Amino acid sequence: MPHAMRRSSLPGMRAVSITCVLLAACFGKSNIDIVTPTNPPVEPIPAGPEKCLLPGAQPVKALLRVSNYEYQQLAADVLGAPVSDATFARWTPVPQVFGYDTMSQSNIDSQSLTEQLRTAEQLTARLLATPELLALCPAPQAPLPAACTQKAAYDPLGDFSQTQGAACWSFLDSAGAAMAFEAANSRWESPDHSTLIWSTGMHPGGALDAVRRWLAPQDGSIILSGEFKDVDPGGGDGVTVFIKKNGAELWRATLPNASGDTFELRLSVKRGDTFDFVVNRTGDPYYDTTAFNAAIAFTEARNTRGWTWDNCARPIVERVAGRMQRRPLRAGELADYQALYATAIADATTADLASPTWAALETVVQAALATPSVMYKAEVSGGLDEAERGYEIASRLSLFFCSSYPDDELWSLAAAGSLSDPKVVEAQANRLLTRCLTRFASNFAGQWFAYRARIDAPDSDALTPSMRREAASMFASLIEGQAMPVDLLSPGYTLVDQPLASHYGLPFGDPDGSPVHRIATTLRGGLFTQGYFLTSTAKGSDFKRVIDRGIWTLNRVLCRQLPPLNAATREEIASSFAAIDPKLPLSEKMKLHRSKGSTCIQCHSQMDPIGLALEKYDAQGLWRDAYPDGSPIKNDFQLDGVNVSDPMELASEVKQSFDFRECVVTQMLTYGLQRVMNDEENECVSQSIAYPIDHTQPTLRDVVIQSALTSLKLTGGLK
Amino acid sequence: MISRRSVLSWMGAQLALPLALGAREASAQAVAPRKRFIGVFFPNGAYMPGAVNGSWNWSEALQPLVAAGFQQNAMILRGLQQTFPGVDPHWQNCAGFLSCQPILLGNPGITKCGKTVDQYVADLRPAPLRSLEIGAPYYHIHPLTDHPGYSNDYLNRISWQTDDKSRAPIPDPKQLFEKLFARDPGGVAAIRYQQAKKKSILDHLSKDATRLAARLPAAQKPVLESYLDTVRDVERELMAMTPASCTPMFGAPTDDFSTPERNYVKRYQLMNQMVVLAMQCGLTNAATFMYGPSSSFITFSESLGAGANHHGSAHHKGDPALIARVHRIMQIETGLLADLLQKLTAANLLDETLVLAGSDMSDGDAHSTINLPMVLCGKGPDLKWGQEIATGGRPTSDLHLEILQLMGVPGVTSFGGGPMASTGQPLGIRV
C-alpha cells in the first residue's frame, strides 16, 4: 500500500455549520440557493506539523507505459487536431496504479500491438494530409505535362469522340492500325468494315479484334471497373474479351452468346501506360455485337517529384518521431528510419505502386507513431544520456501538465540546457499549468475523482458527460481563480451546462451564449456535491450507496486506506447482511454495524457517518429533505467524534482536517512521481507542501506547482 | 504410407513420456491426441447453495446441452475446487481459471498469474493465429474503492500466454471478422506490398525495442523482452495469414455491439461461428470464450427484460425471483455452449476438440470455491461422456493436467501452484 493508514483526529476548531433547518428554508420553493458569486472566506489554516527535510532522490525503477490517454494527447498534438475517443475504442485499458494509469508496467500483448499499429495507420493518413507537416518538404517539382487530356475520371461512352486520342482514347484494330471514323453510322471502322467501335459497344472482325485504348495521362492509382456483354442473341459462338496493360493481359472472359461479365481492378499507373479493351470473335465473328461500358477513376495522384530522404522524409521523421518519443532522435535511430525508408521505396517499386516515395513516407510515419520509444516512458526510467537530461525534465513536466510532449518553448529550453536552473523550470511549470489546464484537470483530477471519461466505453447516460464536465470545469476554475485547496469542498458556485442546470433545478438563462454557466450556490460544485461523484457512487442499493460514498471519500479525499477484507470478514459481511431485516430504515440498518460489536465497527465507524451525511443527495444527485417514503434523513453517527449531520457539516469538518490538506498533495505527488511514495516521503513530503515553512497559505495552484517540482526532485530529475 | 523414419521418431517420443502418463495412456482406449482446445468461462458461479450440486445438472442448468442432443458429448465434473485463501475468487478464479496459479496482488500495474491450458495447446500446435480470445467489453471497477491492489485485468482475462502476459479478448464480432477475414483491397501485388510494409514496420519496432533495452537498467529488460515476443507473434500472424487463408460464407456483422447488453446472445453466436470456421480453416487450434467478465454486471435485459444484473442475481440471498433469474442466465450461457458444440459438430471438429466450460465459483452468493461447476465436452471412445464424475474435492489443476495429456502436450507433469497444485492422480474421466 502506498500510504500507511493515517487516522489523525480532526482538530477541535470547527466552523459554524449550516443547519438542516436553514437549508430547508433556503430550499423551500425552488430548491436553489443563490448566494453572491464570491468564494467563501478561507478559514484559518491549522498549524502544521514540524517541518521535515526533503528525503534523498529515488529514481523511478520500472519501465512505464504511456497511458492510452497520454497517447491520445500525443497524437492530437502531433496532428494539431483532436483525435476522438472512438479511435481508441479497441485499445486495451492500461491499469490504474493507486488510481492513476500513468505508471503501469503491464505487458503489451499481440492484440494490443495489432490495435496500436492499426491506429498508427489511421493517424498516418491524417498526418500526411496536414499541410504543416508537408511544408517540411520542398514544393514538389511540376509534374511532367499530361500525356493527354487530364481528368479525374474517364468513361468510354461520355468520352466517345470523332478524334483519335481525344480524352486519352484511341480506336484501333489488333494489328495496331488506327481505325477511321465513319460519320454516317457514327462509328470507327477498320478497312474490313466489320471490326467496329461505337459509343456503347464494339464488334470484332473475321481476322482482327476491336481495340479501345486508354492512355494514362499521369502517374497515379486507378480503379478500373465495367462490363462487357455479348448483346446479340441471334447465334454464333460468343466473344472473348480481355484487358491488357502495356500489351500484357490483365483480365479475360469468354462470353457465350448473349452473356456478359464485369470487372473491377485496382491498379497503379504511370504516365503513358496503355490499357486496351479488346473484343475478339472467339471462333466466328457472327452475332458478336458487344456492349461495353467502363469507368476509370483516379483514386490518388500524389506528386512527390523531387522529394528525397534528406529533403523530405528525414525532417518529417525528426518532427513526428522526436515529438512522439519526447526527445530528439539519436543518430542510430535516424539511420534505422532511413533504412526503413529505403526498404519501403524498394518494396513499393517492386509492387509497382504509383508513388513509392509517398508509400515510403507512410511507412516511416506509421513506424514513428507505434515504436516502443513512444509507447514506453524511458525518459522517466533512466533511459537518457547525461547530455539528454534536459529532455527528461521537459518531458516529465509536459506529461504532468499536458499529458503530451514538450511544446516548442520547452523543447528549446531543453535543447539549450536551460532546464538545469530550477527557476526556469518553475516558470515553465507555471506557464504549462495555464496552457494545459484543461488537460491537467482531466488527467490528474479526472483520475483522482474518477470523472475522466473512459476511452474504451462511451457514456450510456445522457447526463454523464455534463456531470464529467462540471467536475473538470470546477477543478480548472478553482486553479484559475487562485482558490485554496479547501475551496474544492465548498466553492460557493458551480459550472454547469443547460441539461445539468435543468437536472439540478438551477436557473440557466443565456446571458452570453456560453455552453457552461457559473451559478452561485452553496449546494453544488464541491467534491461532495458534484453530480458525477454523487451519481457514480450510487449505482447499487441505498445501503451500498452509503458505504460506497464513505469508502470513496476516505480513500480519495482523506487518503485513509481501509484494510483489505480478509476471507473471515467477507463471511461475516455475508452472514450479517443476510440477517438484516430489509424493512428497517437505512439509518437503523447502519446502526447494526456498531451494535454488533464486531470487527465491522473498525471501518464502518468512518464510512457510515460520511455516507449518511451525504444522504441528502439521492442516487440521481438531487437534493432531498426526506426519503421517498417520507421518513427523515438522519445521521446519528459521528466522524472522529464530531457530528456531520449533512453534506455541509461534512465539508466543514473535512476542510479542517490535516488528512484532507495532505491528501491533496499526496494525490498530486503520486501522480507526479510515477512510483510509490516511500515511507520517508510519506512521512513528511505532503506536509511540507501543505504547510509551507513561511506559514503562508498555499493556493491550489501553488500546491500543483510545488507537487510537480517536488516530484522531479524526488525522482532525481531536478537537482 | 508411413515411413520407417517417422515411426521411429514417434516411438522415440513415446519413450520420452513420463512413466505415469505412458502407463495411463496404455490403459485408455487408443485415441489420437485432440488437436484443439476451447475454454469457456461463465462468471459469478451457478445456483449451488452451500456449494452442493444445486441446479448444476442435466435437467436444469445444463438442460440446453441435453435439448441440443449433447448429453453424450459432455461430462459433469463434481467436487473440483480452486481455493486460494485470502483472495477474492472473482479475481483469482477468473484469471486463474485455466492456470490454477495464484494472482499477484499489490501493484495493479503489474499483473501475474500463470500460463493457461489454451496457451500450452497453442505452443504445441502452432497455427497462423496463435489463439483466439473472445470476451465481453472490459469491465472496470475502481480499484481503490473496492479492491485495492487488485488489477482489473484479473476480472477480464482468462488466457495467459506467459505468467506475466495475459491475452486481451476481442469483444466485438465485427472486430473478430476483420481480424480473421478482412484483407487489404487491391490485387496480389498490392496485398504483397501491404504485407511487406507491415513486416518492415514490425522489424523496425524490434530494432527500437532492442536499442531501448540496451540503454535501460537490467531490471527493466524483461518488459522489452516480452514486447519483442509480442512483435514476433504479430509478425508470425502476418506472414501466415494469406488472402486465401479462409473465406467466410457470411458477411461482416452489422449489429450493434456497443454495450455488453446489446445483442448479447447474437454476439456469442456469431463469435462461435467465426471461431469454428477459423479452426476449420486451420487458422488456430486454441480459443477461449468469456461469457462476461468476472463479477459481470450484465443484466441480459434483451432476453430477460429489466431486472437484477448477473452479479446482483448471483447474490440472491434466497430471493426466489433472483434465483429464477440466475437459472435463466445460466441457461442462456449453456445455450451458447450448446450452439458452439453444434457448430463444431457441423464442421466435423468435435472429435478432435476438447471444450471445458466452468466458472470461478460454485455458490455465487457465498463466493464458494469448492465443488466448482465444470463440464467437459467432446467426443471419442476414451472418455466417460454423458456421466457425472465424482472427484472428491480434488484441485481443478488435476483436470487441467489431464486435459493437457489428452491434448498430447509433452513434458508437463504437474500443473497449478500453491495450495492448488495438481496431485497428479487421474480423475477417472477415462473409460
Side-chain angles (χ1 to χ4, degrees), chain A residues 92, chain B residues 94-95 138 153 155-160 166-169 290:
Chain A
T92 306
Chain B
C94 174
Y138 199 92
D153 279 357
L155 295 174
N156 289 279
R157 306 278 189 267
I158 59 166
S159 177
W160 292 70
S166 58
R167 292 178 60 86
M290 296 179 77

Side-chain angles (χ1 to χ4, degrees), chain A residues 543-621:
Chain A
F543 195 76
K544 189 165 188 313
R545 176 177 65 235
V546 171
I547 292 171
D548 278 359
R549 286 176 176 175
I551 295 176
W552 181 257
T553 301
L554 289 167
N555 250 315
R556 305 307 274 168
V557 182
L558 296 168
C559 291
R560 293 186 191 177
Q561 195 74 59
L562 295 169
L565 297 176
N566 58 31
T569 314
R570 283 183 198 286
E571 272 173 33
E572 191 180 346
I573 290 172
S575 60
S576 313
F577 191 75
I580 294 176
D581 176 1
K583 292 183 196 126
L584 274 182
L586 184 60
S587 57
E588 296 301 313
K589 283 184 198 162
M590 289 298 170
K591 271 186 188 162
L592 296 174
H593 287 142
R594 44 202 66 207
S595 63
K596 212 168 152 40
S598 68
T599 48
C600 302
I601 189 77
Q602 289 174 15
C603 297
H604 282 279
S605 65
Q606 295 184 66
M607 292 176 207
D608 297 0
I610 295 172
L612 285 168
L614 295 170
E615 277 294 278
K616 290 282 183 176
Y617 292 97
D618 68 12
Q620 282 73 48

Side-chain angles (χ1 to χ4, degrees), chain B residues 150-325:
Chain B
Y150 284 69
S151 169
N152 281 333
D153 279 357
Y154 295 140
L155 295 174
N156 289 279
R157 306 278 189 267
I158 59 166
S159 177
W160 292 70
Q161 189 168 339
T162 58
D163 63 357
D164 60 359
K165 183 152 65 188
S166 58
R167 292 178 60 86
I170 292 177
D172 187 339
K174 289 174 215 170
Q175 190 180 351
L176 182 63
F177 188 90
E178 234 174 75
K179 183 182 181 80
L180 296 176
F181 311 121
R183 299 289 171 264
D184 292 312
V188 174
I191 291 169
R192 205 171 289 145
Y193 170 73
Q194 285 299 329
Q195 199 175 35
K197 173 185 169 183
K198 286 174 184 166
K199 184 175 184 320
S200 305
I201 291 173
L202 289 168
D203 288 347
H204 183 88
L205 303 191
S206 290
K207 272 192 206 172
D208 190 30
T210 308
R211 244 179 227 292
L212 205 51
R215 306 179 70 87
L216 289 166
Q220 299 178 17
K221 290 190 197 317
V223 175
L224 290 165
E225 280 159 15
S226 169
Y227 181 87
L228 282 165
D229 278 343
T230 298
V231 173
R232 281 189 282 272
D233 283 344
V234 175
E235 190 168 323
R236 266 194 294 271
E237 208 170 278
L238 171 75
M239 301 318 285
M241 294 285 277
T242 63
S245 296
C246 202
T247 307
M249 299 300 286
F250 44 86
T254 53
D255 307 87
D256 178 6
F257 299 106
S258 59
T259 73
E261 301 294 342
R262 297 217 178 106
N263 290 301
Y264 177 88
V265 169
K266 190 158 189 197
R267 175 194 299 266
Y268 288 100
Q269 286 174 341
L270 287 168
M271 297 288 207
N272 285 344
Q273 185 177 28
M274 287 188 267
V275 168
V276 170
L277 179 56
M279 288 191 159
Q280 204 174 4
C281 293
L283 289 185
T284 193
N285 294 311
T288 49
F289 286 83
M290 296 179 77
Y291 289 158
S294 190
S295 359
S296 171
F297 277 65
I298 296 170
T299 62
F300 298 84
S301 53
E302 288 177 355
S303 301
L304 306 181
N309 64 47
H310 193 170
H311 188 254
S313 305
H315 284 295
H316 48 73
K317 306 286 171 219
D319 179 338
L322 293 179
I323 291 169
R325 201 166 175 96

